[in-house]
Amino acid sequence: MTAPFRERLRATALLPYAEARLEGYLADLADLVAIDSGSYSPDGVNRMADWTRERLLRLGFDVERIAPAPTHGHPVGDLIVARKRGDLPVAEGGRRVLLVAHLDTVFEEGTAAARPFALDGCMARGPGVSDDKGGLLAGLSALEILEETGARQYAELVFLATPDEEIGGPASRPATEAAACGAHFALALECARENGDLVIARKGVADFRVTVTGRAAHAGIEPERGANAALAAAHLVVALQALNGHWDDVTVNVGVVRAGTRANIVCPEAELRVEVRSATAAGIAAARSAIEAAAARPAVPGTTATVEQLDLCPPMEDTPASRRMFDLARKIAAELGLPLGGAATGGVGDANVIAGTGVPTLDGLGPVGGADHTPEEWLDTTTVPLRVTLLASLVAELGDGRIG
């Protein structure tokens, strides 16, 4: 059955709505930046969650608030999952679109007071102004524009706000994966790159622990009875670092080395912590196999090595489906007179977790910002209206199933 004709909502028609919201956007941004919401500051993160929940309720979303279990002994704030059904069921071509932003920052308590929100010409500054309070606000502003213009041609919109993205999302990951279940498309609201690019790919990260076991002996009287785990570990460090360059876009880094307790004992045990980053799941798997192969061939007789994978954040891969989303974003941007590029990055985020569930994902859909995680963090306020318009139009066109 052929879906009924639906008139396309032109981006240029939405731009005046975004321009009219700029003053309110900046006022809200100042309020949010004034909240200390570091990942391990649950009270501040929950103030962000309170604010986000109220905004979504006013938009007619059904809002679920989840208190995740503490991670690594540290409590984190709450997570928001909000849903709103549209007027176009899946059976008639409608799609479910997931938007994701995060409530936390990397900054310690007291940073908001020490470095408050400020406008320097068109540049907004303050802790989290770009990462990710500016992106969170952009997403909510886009949803408001769609509601105001009556653009409800989608099956469902899902808005996810996580409390622990800056520490890898360990507490929110199950809820993030659950929110992604059934979504057709995902849009991550990290701010655009400094040159305005969207993010079309993010490397995945796998963390490993390599434990080297040797045999202790008196280093002065009978060293020949020992098997030096520190020496075996040193050979492994060289071998693992040499893996760099074996595959395109895969990096291997031995970041931590621990060995021994006393200088007069032949070292009986050592530990390496190894990080692998790759743009593809296949690259991570290849690197893991190579690490395990190197560990199986210890350079020091009498030693053994075991490899344990501690964590895995899947890559956000550059796939044909995500490319179609990017092509649609470029088409909309061109209508607005906005040149738009795509970038790959080695950093990870909530988009990685969502892409790992198989949902086509595009990131960097907030305004243009930069210097994240530093005192110089900035957001270019002149980019807000166009970027909010781009986001609103993209949600509308994805939601009504124009690209499948």
Side-chain angles (χ1 to χ4, degrees):
M1 178 178 174
T2 303
F5 173 77
R6 297 184 293 275
E7 184 177 355
R8 179 173 174 265
L9 182 65
R10 298 193 65 82
T12 50
L14 300 181
L15 181 57
Y17 293 89
E19 291 172 333
R21 278 173 167 72
L22 180 58
E23 184 177 349
Y25 176 99
L26 295 177
D28 289 336
L29 186 59
D31 289 343
L32 295 184
V33 170
I35 299 173
D36 281 314
S37 58
S39 307
Y40 293 128
S41 299
D43 290 343
V45 171
N46 283 339
R47 287 176 61 194
M48 291 285 299
D50 291 340
W51 190 94
T52 303
R53 176 180 179 274
E54 289 305 312
R55 193 74 164 251
L56 288 163
L57 286 173
R58 292 204 303 265
L59 281 168
F61 278 75
D62 296 322
V63 183
E64 180 183 10
R65 185 163 176 164
I66 301 169
T71 178
H72 308 307
H74 295 280
V76 298
D78 293 348
L79 176 141
I80 297 292
V81 183
R83 298 178 180 275
K84 184 174 184 177
R85 291 196 179 277
D87 296 339
L88 189 65
V90 172
E92 297 177 19
R95 294 292 180 263
R96 298 185 182 93
V97 182
L98 169 65
L99 294 87
V100 58
H102 61 90
L103 305 169
D104 61 324
T105 74
V106 299
F107 300 104
E108 301 296 326
E109 290 281 348
T111 307
R115 189 161 48 83
F117 177 84
L119 275 175
D120 179 10
C122 64
M123 294 297 179
R125 303 186 189 276
V129 69
S130 168
D131 184 20
D132 185 32
K133 296 180 180 184
L136 172 77
L137 270 174
L140 294 171
S141 299
L143 295 180
E144 287 174 347
I145 289 171
L146 295 179
E147 181 64 19
E148 185 174 351
T149 56
R152 302 186 186 92
Q153 296 298 298
Y154 50 81
E156 185 178 44
L157 298 181
V158 183
F159 194 93
L160 171 68
T162 62
D164 57 346
E165 187 272 349
E166 296 292 6
I167 55 172
S172 63
R173 183 165 181 168
T176 299
E177 292 174 336
C181 183
H184 295 95
F185 305 104
L187 302 173
L189 304 176
E190 298 283 357
C191 281
R193 304 298 90 178
E194 292 189 14
N195 65 355
D197 284 354
L198 301 187
V199 176
I200 56 175
R202 289 182 176 273
K203 284 187 175 182
V205 181
D207 293 323
F208 298 92
R209 176 167 53 210
V210 182
T211 303
V212 183
T213 303
R215 187 169 56 251
H218 194 295
I221 297 174
E222 46 188 12
E224 70 282 356
R225 293 193 174 187
N228 196 318
L231 179 58
H235 281 281
L236 263 179
V237 170
V238 174
L240 297 184
Q241 289 294 144
L243 294 175
N244 286 291
H246 280 222
W247 311 275
D248 291 339
D249 219 17
V250 177
T251 58
V252 179
N253 182 60
V254 182
V256 178
V257 181
R258 299 188 183 97
T261 56
R262 296 174 65 95
N264 61 353
I265 300 174
V266 174
C267 177
E269 188 169 273
E271 180 183 285
L272 309 179
R273 292 292 183 97
V274 186
E275 181 194 82
V276 172
R277 292 191 182 233
S278 175
T280 65
I284 290 176
R288 174 174 182 160
S289 295
I291 292 169
E292 291 172 338
R297 301 187 300 270
V300 177
T303 64
T304 59
T306 59
V307 178
E308 176 188 3
Q309 183 171 302
L310 301 177
D311 195 18
L312 172 64
C313 181
M316 172 185 152
E317 297 197 30
D318 183 354
T319 66
S322 61
R323 276 284 167 174
R324 288 194 293 273
M325 295 172 68
F326 176 60
D327 289 342
L328 176 59
R330 283 202 300 183
K331 177 183 174 183
I332 296 168
E335 181 183 329
L336 294 167
L338 178 66
L340 196 65
T345 178
V348 301
D350 291 322
N352 291 69
V353 176
I354 294 166
T357 69
V359 178
T361 306
L362 190 62
D363 200 352
L365 285 154
V368 176
D372 298 355
H373 301 188
T374 77
E376 289 73 41
E377 184 177 1
W378 56 270
L379 182 139
D380 184 350
T381 64
T382 66
T383 69
V384 172
L386 280 172
R387 295 291 167 151
V388 168
T389 302
L390 169 64
L391 177 59
S393 184
L394 185 58
V395 171
E397 296 215 19
L398 291 172
D400 75 4
R402 290 182 189 273
I403 68 168

